[in-house]
Amino acid sequence: MDYKAIDIQQKLGLLNEQWSPRVIAEMNDYQFKVVKLEGDFVWHDHPETDEVFLVIKGNLRIDFRDGAVNLAAGEMFVVPKGVEHKPFAEQEAEVMLIEPRGVLNTGQAGGERTAENDVWI
């Protein structure tokens, strides 16, 4: 077996586009994805699973229909399954997402912001 650490900063350096999560590791049925975010996303939910946002660099606000949570670098938040949310970053933020394999970034909302799933870097 080849034991090698995953360099998260190096992986983020390979990202050229925003709002396109890329898988860097798997654990059981869960994927660890890195993504660069800036601006507003779409309202969506994930009816079957929770979703973890871990901010690596920058600031991220996750809006909910009844409030919001602000995350700085080093902070994380678990969005409960079925809760409609909309990420927003005033300036580019680097984020790790942790969610089950097969989860689309836009949930059931679809649209032009839906990224190709299960793409590794």
Side-chain angles (χ1 to χ4, degrees):
M1 172 152 260
D2 184 23
Y3 297 102
K4 186 176 177 187
I6 297 167
D7 185 333
I8 295 168
Q9 291 300 327
Q10 182 266 337
K11 296 291 188 182
L12 281 160
L14 298 174
L15 294 179
N16 296 319
E17 54 187 299
Q18 297 175 337
W19 302 105
S20 294
R22 297 293 183 248
V23 181
I24 62 169
E26 282 188 338
M27 179 188 74
N28 300 319
D29 293 331
Y30 278 78
Q31 292 183 326
F32 294 76
K33 302 174 182 178
V34 290
V35 63
K36 292 182 179 180
L37 312 175
E38 186 173 9
D40 237 344
F41 200 52
V42 297
W43 284 104
H44 69 285
D45 67 347
H46 305 285
E48 304 300 323
T49 185
D50 299 338
E51 180 178 32
V52 174
F53 288 81
L54 171 60
V55 178
I56 296 167
K57 182 179 177 185
N59 295 285
L60 178 68
R61 185 183 78 221
I62 304 173
D63 293 325
F64 302 98
R65 295 295 185 179
D66 59 354
V69 62
N70 291 292
L71 304 174
E75 295 182 321
M76 65 179 274
F77 186 81
V78 180
V79 176
K81 70 179 174 182
V83 174
E84 198 173 18
H85 59 285
K86 179 176 65 68
F88 170 79
E90 190 169 319
Q91 297 178 334
E92 186 174 78
E94 296 178 347
V95 177
M96 179 179 289
L97 304 172
I98 304 167
E99 55 198 12
R101 185 184 310 114
V103 171
L104 287 176
N105 65 328
T106 53
Q108 297 176 337
E112 64 183 33
R113 283 276 176 93
T114 302
E116 186 178 352
N117 210 6
D118 207 28
V119 178
W120 287 72
I121 58 169

